[in-house]
Coordinates of all heavy atoms in Angstrom, one line a residue:
M27 N 168.9 132.9 98.8 CA 167.5 132.6 98.5 C 167.3 132.9 97.0 O 167.7 134.0 96.5 CB 166.5 133.4 99.3 CG 165.1 133.3 98.8 SD 163.9 134.4 99.6 CE 164.6 134.8 101.1
T28 N 166.8 132.0 96.2 CA 166.5 132.2 94.8 C 165.0 131.7 94.6 O 164.5 131.0 95.4 CB 167.4 131.4 93.9 OG1 167.1 130.0 94.1 CG2 168.8 131.7 94.1
L29 N 164.4 132.2 93.5 CA 163.1 131.7 93.2 C 163.1 130.2 93.0 O 162.2 129.5 93.5 CB 162.6 132.5 91.9 CG 161.2 132.1 91.5 CD1 160.2 132.4 92.6 CD2 160.8 132.9 90.2
E30 N 164.1 129.7 92.4 CA 164.2 128.3 92.1 C 164.3 127.5 93.5 O 163.6 126.5 93.6 CB 165.5 128.0 91.3 CG 165.4 128.4 89.9 CD 165.7 129.9 89.7 OE1 166.1 130.6 90.6 OE2 165.5 130.4 88.5
S31 N 165.0 128.0 94.5 CA 165.0 127.3 95.8 C 163.7 127.4 96.5 O 163.3 126.4 97.1 CB 166.2 127.9 96.6 OG 165.9 129.2 97.0
L32 N 163.0 128.5 96.3 CA 161.6 128.5 97.0 C 160.7 127.6 96.3 O 159.9 126.9 97.0 CB 161.1 130.0 96.9 CG 161.8 131.0 97.7 CD1 161.3 132.4 97.4 CD2 161.5 130.7 99.2
I33 N 160.7 127.5 95.0 CA 159.9 126.6 94.2 C 160.2 125.1 94.6 O 159.3 124.3 94.8 CB 159.9 126.8 92.7 CG1 159.3 128.2 92.4 CG2 159.3 125.7 91.9 CD1 159.5 128.7 91.0
G34 N 161.5 124.8 94.6 CA 162.0 123.5 95.0 C 161.5 123.1 96.4 O 161.0 122.0 96.6
A35 N 161.6 124.0 97.3 CA 161.2 123.7 98.7 C 159.6 123.5 98.8 O 159.2 122.6 99.5 CB 161.5 124.9 99.6
A36 N 158.9 124.3 98.0 CA 157.4 124.1 98.0 C 157.1 122.7 97.4 O 156.2 122.0 97.9 CB 156.8 125.2 97.1
Q37 N 157.8 122.4 96.3 CA 157.6 121.1 95.7 C 157.9 119.9 96.7 O 157.1 119.0 96.7 CB 158.4 121.0 94.4 CG 158.1 119.7 93.6 CD 159.0 119.7 92.3 OE1 160.0 120.2 92.3 NE2 158.4 119.0 91.3
E38 N 159.0 120.0 97.4 CA 159.3 119.0 98.4 C 158.3 118.8 99.5 O 158.1 117.7 100.0 CB 160.7 119.3 99.0 CG 161.9 119.2 98.1 CD 163.2 119.7 98.8 OE1 163.2 120.0 100.0 OE2 164.2 119.7 98.1
Q39 N 157.6 119.9 99.8 CA 156.5 119.8 100.8 C 155.2 119.4 100.2 O 154.2 119.3 101.0 CB 156.4 121.2 101.5 CG 157.6 121.7 102.2 CD 157.4 123.0 102.8 OE1 156.5 123.3 103.5 NE2 158.3 123.9 102.5
G40 N 155.1 119.1 98.9 CA 153.9 118.7 98.3 C 152.9 119.8 98.1 O 151.7 119.6 98.1
A41 N 153.4 121.1 98.0 CA 152.5 122.2 97.9 C 151.9 122.3 96.5 O 152.5 122.0 95.5 CB 153.3 123.5 98.2
S42 N 150.7 122.8 96.5 CA 150.0 123.1 95.2 C 150.2 124.5 94.8 O 150.1 124.9 93.6 CB 148.5 122.8 95.3 OG 147.9 123.6 96.3
D43 N 150.5 125.4 95.8 CA 150.7 126.8 95.5 C 151.8 127.4 96.4 O 152.1 126.9 97.5 CB 149.4 127.6 95.9 CG 148.2 127.2 95.1 OD1 148.2 127.6 93.9 OD2 147.4 126.6 95.6
L44 N 152.5 128.4 95.8 CA 153.5 129.1 96.6 C 153.1 130.6 96.5 O 152.9 131.1 95.4 CB 154.9 128.9 95.9 CG 156.0 129.8 96.4 CD1 156.3 129.6 97.9 CD2 157.3 129.6 95.6
H45 N 152.9 131.2 97.6 CA 152.5 132.6 97.7 C 153.6 133.5 98.2 O 154.2 133.2 99.3 CB 151.3 132.8 98.7 CG 150.1 132.0 98.2 ND1 149.1 132.6 97.5 CD2 149.7 130.7 98.5 CE1 148.2 131.7 97.3 NE2 148.5 130.5 97.9
L46 N 154.0 134.5 97.4 CA 155.1 135.4 97.8 C 154.5 136.8 97.9 O 153.9 137.3 97.0 CB 156.2 135.4 96.7 CG 156.7 134.0 96.5 CD1 157.7 134.0 95.3 CD2 157.4 133.4 97.7
E47 N 154.8 137.5 99.1 CA 154.4 138.9 99.3 C 155.5 139.6 100.0 O 156.0 139.0 101.0 CB 153.1 138.9 100.1 CG 152.5 140.3 100.2 CD 151.1 140.3 100.9 OE1 150.5 139.3 100.9 OE2 150.8 141.4 101.4
A48 N 155.8 140.8 99.6 CA 156.9 141.5 100.2 C 156.7 141.7 101.7 O 155.6 142.0 102.1 CB 157.0 142.9 99.5
G49 N 157.8 141.5 102.4 CA 157.8 141.7 103.9 C 157.2 140.5 104.7 O 157.2 140.6 105.9
L50 N 156.8 139.5 104.0 CA 156.2 138.3 104.6 C 157.0 137.1 104.2 O 157.6 137.0 103.2 CB 154.7 138.1 104.3 CG 153.8 139.2 104.6 CD1 152.4 138.9 104.1 CD2 153.7 139.3 106.1
P51 N 157.0 136.0 105.1 CA 157.6 134.8 104.7 C 156.9 134.1 103.6 O 155.7 134.4 103.4 CB 157.5 133.9 106.0 CG 157.1 134.8 107.1 CD 156.5 136.0 106.5
A52 N 157.5 133.3 102.8 CA 156.8 132.5 101.7 C 155.7 131.7 102.4 O 155.9 131.2 103.5 CB 157.8 131.7 101.0
A53 N 154.6 131.5 101.7 CA 153.5 130.7 102.2 C 153.3 129.6 101.2 O 153.3 129.8 100.0 CB 152.3 131.5 102.5
V54 N 153.1 128.4 101.7 CA 152.8 127.2 100.8 C 151.4 126.7 101.1 O 151.0 126.7 102.3 CB 153.8 126.1 100.9 CG1 155.2 126.6 100.3 CG2 154.0 125.6 102.3
R55 N 150.7 126.2 100.1 CA 149.4 125.6 100.4 C 149.6 124.1 100.2 O 150.0 123.6 99.1 CB 148.4 126.1 99.4 CG 147.0 125.5 99.6 CD 145.9 126.0 98.7 NE 145.9 127.5 98.6 CZ 145.3 128.3 99.5 NH1 144.6 127.7 100.5 NH2 145.3 129.6 99.4
V56 N 149.4 123.4 101.3 CA 149.5 121.9 101.3 C 148.2 121.3 101.8 O 147.7 121.7 102.9 CB 150.7 121.5 102.2 CG1 150.7 119.9 102.2 CG2 152.0 122.1 101.7
R57 N 147.6 120.6 100.9 CA 146.3 119.9 101.2 C 145.2 121.0 101.7 O 144.5 120.8 102.6 CB 146.4 118.8 102.3 CG 147.2 117.7 101.8 CD 147.3 116.5 102.8 NE 148.2 115.5 102.4 CZ 149.5 115.5 102.8 NH1 149.9 116.4 103.7 NH2 150.3 114.5 102.4
G58 N 145.2 122.1 101.0 CA 144.3 123.2 101.3 C 144.6 124.1 102.4 O 143.9 125.1 102.6
S59 N 145.7 123.8 103.2 CA 146.0 124.7 104.3 C 147.3 125.5 103.9 O 148.3 125.0 103.4 CB 146.3 123.9 105.5 OG 145.2 123.2 106.0
L60 N 147.2 126.8 104.3 CA 148.4 127.7 104.1 C 149.3 127.6 105.3 O 148.8 127.7 106.5 CB 148.0 129.1 103.9 CG 147.6 129.6 102.5 CD1 147.1 131.0 102.5 CD2 148.7 129.4 101.5
R61 N 150.6 127.6 105.1 CA 151.6 127.7 106.2 C 152.8 128.4 105.7 O 153.2 128.4 104.5 CB 151.9 126.3 106.7 CG 152.6 125.4 105.7 CD 152.9 124.1 106.4 NE 153.5 123.2 105.5 CZ 153.3 121.9 105.4 NH1 152.5 121.3 106.3 NH2 153.9 121.1 104.5
T62 N 153.3 129.2 106.6 CA 154.5 130.0 106.2 C 155.8 129.3 106.4 O 155.8 128.4 107.3 CB 154.5 131.4 107.0 OG1 154.6 131.1 108.4 CG2 153.3 132.2 106.7
T63 N 156.8 129.7 105.7 CA 158.1 129.0 105.8 C 159.2 130.0 105.6 O 159.1 130.9 104.7 CB 158.2 127.8 104.8 OG1 159.5 127.2 104.9 CG2 158.0 128.3 103.4
G64 N 160.2 130.0 106.5 CA 161.4 130.9 106.3 C 161.2 132.3 106.8 O 160.2 132.6 107.6
E65 N 162.1 133.1 106.4 CA 162.1 134.5 106.9 C 161.3 135.4 105.9 O 161.1 135.0 104.8 CB 163.6 135.0 106.9 CG 164.5 134.2 107.9 CD 164.1 134.5 109.3 OE1 163.7 135.6 109.7 OE2 164.1 133.5 110.1
P66 N 160.9 136.6 106.4 CA 160.2 137.5 105.5 C 161.1 137.8 104.3 O 162.3 137.9 104.4 CB 160.1 138.8 106.3 CG 160.0 138.3 107.7 CD 161.0 137.1 107.7
I67 N 160.5 138.0 103.1 CA 161.2 138.3 101.9 C 161.1 139.8 101.6 O 160.0 140.3 101.4 CB 160.6 137.4 100.7 CG1 160.7 136.0 101.1 CG2 161.4 137.7 99.4 CD1 159.9 135.1 100.1
P68 N 162.2 140.4 101.4 CA 162.2 141.9 101.1 C 161.6 142.2 99.8 O 161.7 141.4 98.8 CB 163.7 142.3 101.1 CG 164.4 141.2 101.9 CD 163.6 139.9 101.6
A69 N 161.0 143.3 99.6 CA 160.4 143.7 98.4 C 161.4 143.8 97.2 O 161.1 143.3 96.1 CB 159.7 145.1 98.5
Q70 N 162.6 144.2 97.5 CA 163.6 144.3 96.5 C 163.9 142.9 95.9 O 164.2 142.8 94.7 CB 164.9 145.0 97.1 CG 165.9 145.2 96.1 CD 167.1 146.0 96.7 OE1 167.2 146.2 97.9 NE2 168.1 146.3 95.9
T71 N 163.9 141.9 96.8 CA 164.2 140.5 96.3 C 163.1 140.1 95.4 O 163.3 139.5 94.3 CB 164.3 139.6 97.5 OG1 165.4 140.0 98.4 CG2 164.5 138.1 97.1
L72 N 161.8 140.3 95.8 CA 160.7 139.9 94.9 C 160.7 140.7 93.6 O 160.4 140.1 92.6 CB 159.4 140.1 95.7 CG 159.1 139.2 96.8 CD1 157.8 139.5 97.5 CD2 159.2 137.7 96.4
M73 N 161.1 141.9 93.6 CA 161.2 142.7 92.4 C 162.2 142.1 91.5 O 162.1 142.0 90.2 CB 161.5 144.1 92.6 CG 160.3 144.9 93.2 SD 158.9 145.0 92.2 CE 159.4 146.3 91.1
G74 N 163.3 141.6 92.0 CA 164.4 141.0 91.3 C 163.9 139.7 90.6 O 164.1 139.4 89.5
F75 N 163.1 138.9 91.4 CA 162.5 137.7 90.9 C 161.6 138.0 89.7 O 161.6 137.3 88.7 CB 161.7 136.9 91.9 CG 162.4 136.3 93.1 CD1 161.8 135.9 94.2 CD2 163.8 136.2 93.1 CE1 162.4 135.3 95.3 CE2 164.5 135.6 94.1 CZ 163.8 135.2 95.3
A76 N 160.7 139.0 89.9 CA 159.8 139.4 88.9 C 160.5 139.8 87.6 O 160.2 139.4 86.5 CB 158.9 140.5 89.4
R77 N 161.5 140.6 87.7 CA 162.3 141.1 86.6 C 163.0 140.0 85.8 O 163.0 139.9 84.6 CB 163.3 142.2 87.0 CG 163.9 142.9 85.8 CD 164.6 144.1 86.1 NE 164.8 144.9 84.9 CZ 164.7 146.2 84.8 NH1 164.4 146.9 85.9 NH2 164.9 146.8 83.7
Q78 N 163.5 139.0 86.6 CA 164.1 137.8 86.0 C 163.1 137.1 85.2 O 163.4 136.6 84.1 CB 164.7 137.0 87.1 CG 165.2 135.7 86.7 CD 165.6 134.8 87.9 OE1 165.6 135.2 89.0 NE2 165.9 133.5 87.6
L79 N 161.9 136.9 85.7 CA 160.8 136.1 85.0 C 160.3 136.8 83.8 O 160.1 136.3 82.8 CB 159.7 135.8 86.0 CG 160.0 134.7 87.0 CD1 158.8 134.7 88.0 CD2 160.2 133.4 86.4
I80 N 160.0 138.1 84.0 CA 159.3 138.9 83.0 C 160.3 139.3 81.8 O 159.9 139.3 80.7 CB 158.7 140.2 83.6 CG1 157.5 139.7 84.5 CG2 158.2 141.1 82.5 CD1 157.0 140.8 85.4
G81 N 161.5 139.6 82.2 CA 162.5 140.0 81.2 C 162.5 141.5 81.0 O 161.5 142.2 81.1
D82 N 163.7 141.9 80.6 CA 163.9 143.4 80.4 C 163.0 143.9 79.3 O 162.5 145.0 79.3 CB 165.3 143.7 80.0 CG 166.2 143.5 81.2 OD1 165.7 143.6 82.4 OD2 167.4 143.3 81.0
S83 N 162.7 143.1 78.2 CA 161.9 143.6 77.1 C 160.5 143.9 77.5 O 159.8 144.7 76.8 CB 162.0 142.6 75.9 OG 161.5 141.4 76.3
H84 N 159.9 143.2 78.5 CA 158.5 143.4 78.9 C 158.4 144.1 80.3 O 157.3 144.3 80.7 CB 157.8 142.0 79.0 CG 157.7 141.4 77.7 ND1 158.6 140.4 77.2 CD2 156.8 141.6 76.7 CE1 158.2 140.0 76.0 NE2 157.2 140.7 75.6
W85 N 159.5 144.5 80.8 CA 159.5 145.1 82.2 C 158.7 146.4 82.2 O 157.9 146.6 83.1 CB 160.9 145.3 82.7 CG 160.9 145.8 84.1 CD1 161.3 147.0 84.6 CD2 160.6 145.0 85.3 NE1 161.2 147.1 85.9 CE2 160.7 145.9 86.4 CE3 160.1 143.7 85.5 CZ2 160.4 145.5 87.7 CZ3 159.8 143.3 86.8 CH2 160.0 144.2 87.8
S86 N 158.9 147.3 81.2 CA 158.2 148.6 81.3 C 156.7 148.3 81.2 O 155.9 149.1 81.9 CB 158.7 149.5 80.2 OG 158.4 148.9 78.9
Q87 N 156.2 147.4 80.4 CA 154.8 147.1 80.4 C 154.3 146.6 81.8 O 153.2 146.9 82.2 CB 154.5 146.0 79.4 CG 154.6 146.4 77.9 CD 154.4 145.3 77.0 OE1 154.7 144.1 77.3 NE2 153.8 145.6 75.8
F88 N 155.1 145.8 82.4 CA 154.7 145.3 83.7 C 154.6 146.4 84.7 O 153.6 146.5 85.5 CB 155.7 144.3 84.2 CG 155.6 143.9 85.7 CD1 154.5 143.1 86.1 CD2 156.5 144.4 86.6 CE1 154.4 142.8 87.5 CE2 156.3 144.1 88.0 CZ 155.3 143.3 88.4
V89 N 155.5 147.3 84.7 CA 155.5 148.5 85.6 C 154.3 149.3 85.4 O 153.6 149.8 86.3 CB 156.8 149.3 85.5 CG1 156.8 150.5 86.3 CG2 158.0 148.4 86.0
E90 N 154.0 149.5 84.1 CA 152.9 150.4 83.7 C 151.5 149.7 84.1 O 150.7 150.4 84.7 CB 152.9 150.6 82.2 CG 151.7 151.5 81.7 CD 151.8 151.7 80.2 OE1 152.9 151.9 79.7 OE2 150.7 151.6 79.6
R91 N 151.4 148.4 83.8 CA 150.1 147.7 84.1 C 150.0 147.2 85.5 O 148.9 146.9 86.0 CB 150.0 146.5 83.2 CG 149.8 146.9 81.7 CD 149.7 145.7 80.9 NE 149.6 146.0 79.5 CZ 149.7 145.1 78.5 NH1 149.9 143.9 78.8 NH2 149.7 145.5 77.3
R92 N 151.2 147.0 86.2 CA 151.2 146.5 87.5 C 150.7 145.0 87.6 O 150.3 144.5 88.6 CB 150.5 147.3 88.5 CG 151.0 148.8 88.5 CD 150.4 149.6 89.5 NE 151.4 149.6 90.6 CZ 151.2 150.1 91.8 NH1 150.0 150.6 92.0 NH2 152.1 150.1 92.7
S93 N 150.8 144.3 86.4 CA 150.5 142.9 86.4 C 151.1 142.3 85.1 O 151.5 143.0 84.2 CB 149.0 142.7 86.3 OG 148.4 143.1 85.1
A94 N 151.2 141.0 85.1 CA 151.8 140.3 83.9 C 151.1 138.9 83.9 O 150.8 138.3 84.9 CB 153.3 140.1 84.0
D95 N 150.8 138.5 82.7 CA 150.1 137.2 82.5 C 151.2 136.3 81.8 O 151.4 136.5 80.6 CB 148.9 137.4 81.7 CG 148.1 136.1 81.6 OD1 148.4 135.1 82.3 OD2 147.1 136.0 80.7
L96 N 151.8 135.4 82.5 CA 152.8 134.6 81.9 C 152.8 133.2 82.6 O 152.3 133.0 83.7 CB 154.1 135.2 81.9 CG 154.7 135.6 83.3 CD1 155.6 134.5 83.8 CD2 155.5 136.9 83.2
S97 N 153.4 132.3 81.9 CA 153.6 130.9 82.5 C 155.0 130.5 82.2 O 155.5 130.7 81.0 CB 152.6 130.0 81.9 OG 152.9 128.7 82.3
K98 N 155.7 129.9 83.1 CA 157.1 129.4 82.9 C 157.2 128.1 83.6 O 156.5 127.9 84.7 CB 158.1 130.4 83.5 CG 158.1 131.7 82.9 CD 159.4 132.1 82.3 CE 159.4 133.5 81.7 NZ 160.4 133.8 80.8
T99 N 158.1 127.2 83.1 CA 158.4 126.0 83.8 C 159.7 126.2 84.5 O 160.7 126.5 83.9 CB 158.4 124.8 82.9 OG1 157.1 124.7 82.3 CG2 158.7 123.5 83.6
I100 N 159.7 126.0 85.8 CA 160.9 126.1 86.6 C 161.1 124.9 87.4 O 160.2 124.5 88.2 CB 160.8 127.4 87.6 CG1 160.6 128.6 86.7 CG2 162.1 127.5 88.4 CD1 160.3 129.9 87.5
Q101 N 162.2 124.2 87.3 CA 162.5 122.9 88.0 C 161.4 121.9 87.7 O 161.0 121.2 88.6 CB 162.7 123.1 89.5 CG 163.9 123.9 89.8 CD 164.3 123.8 91.3 OE1 163.6 123.2 92.1 NE2 165.4 124.4 91.6
G102 N 160.9 121.9 86.5 CA 159.8 120.9 86.1 C 158.4 121.3 86.7 O 157.5 120.5 86.5
V103 N 158.3 122.5 87.2 CA 157.0 122.9 87.8 C 156.5 124.1 87.0 O 157.2 125.0 86.7 CB 157.2 123.4 89.3 CG1 155.9 123.9 89.8 CG2 157.8 122.2 90.1
R104 N 155.2 123.9 86.5 CA 154.6 125.0 85.8 C 154.2 126.1 86.7 O 153.5 125.9 87.7 CB 153.4 124.5 85.0 CG 152.7 125.6 84.2 CD 151.7 125.0 83.3 NE 151.0 126.1 82.5 CZ 149.8 126.6 82.8 NH1 149.1 126.1 83.8 NH2 149.3 127.5 82.1
C105 N 154.7 127.3 86.5 CA 154.4 128.5 87.3 C 153.7 129.5 86.6 O 154.0 129.8 85.4 CB 155.8 129.1 87.9 SG 156.8 127.9 88.8
R106 N 152.7 130.1 87.2 CA 151.9 131.2 86.6 C 151.9 132.4 87.5 O 152.0 132.3 88.6 CB 150.5 130.8 86.3 CG 150.4 129.7 85.4 CD 148.9 129.2 85.2 NE 148.0 130.2 85.7 CZ 146.7 130.3 85.4 NH1 146.3 129.5 84.5 NH2 145.9 131.2 85.9

């Protein structure tokens, strides 16, 4: 499982949103309805995704603030 594969799967389903929370399966919003997909995602996996997106140079700020404001395009999809 990679962040890219989760985003790709959400895109294939026509999802407008992808929600990721530790210990729960990924949830996609399709036509206003949330539905879960796959197995629960461990916290350690999500932290790895976050560190990959935020980068080492901004990681300490993220840990201190417990939030980050960023936007990236992954597989042609704008992610915030």
Side-chain angles (χ1 to χ4, degrees):
M27 170 191 337
T28 65
L29 182 58
E30 290 81 5
S31 67
L32 289 169
I33 291 170
Q37 186 177 28
E38 287 174 7
Q39 295 178 55
S42 61
D43 298 288
L44 171 63
H45 299 268
L46 303 174
E47 186 173 341
L50 297 175
V54 293
R55 183 177 307 279
V56 178
R57 295 185 189 96
S59 296
L60 276 177
R61 62 181 179 216
T62 59
T63 179
E65 298 295 318
I67 302 172
Q70 185 176 6
T71 300
L72 290 180
M73 290 295 281
F75 293 166
R77 191 167 196 140
Q78 174 188 350
L79 287 172
I80 294 167
D82 290 334
S83 61
H84 294 97
W85 186 250
S86 61
Q87 288 177 326
F88 168 73
V89 171
E90 182 181 316
R91 293 181 186 168
R92 306 187 97 188
S93 70
D95 187 12
L96 60 95
S97 173
K98 299 238 181 194
T99 300
I100 301 172
Q101 292 194 357
V103 177
R104 183 172 178 256
C105 302
R106 296 180 11 159

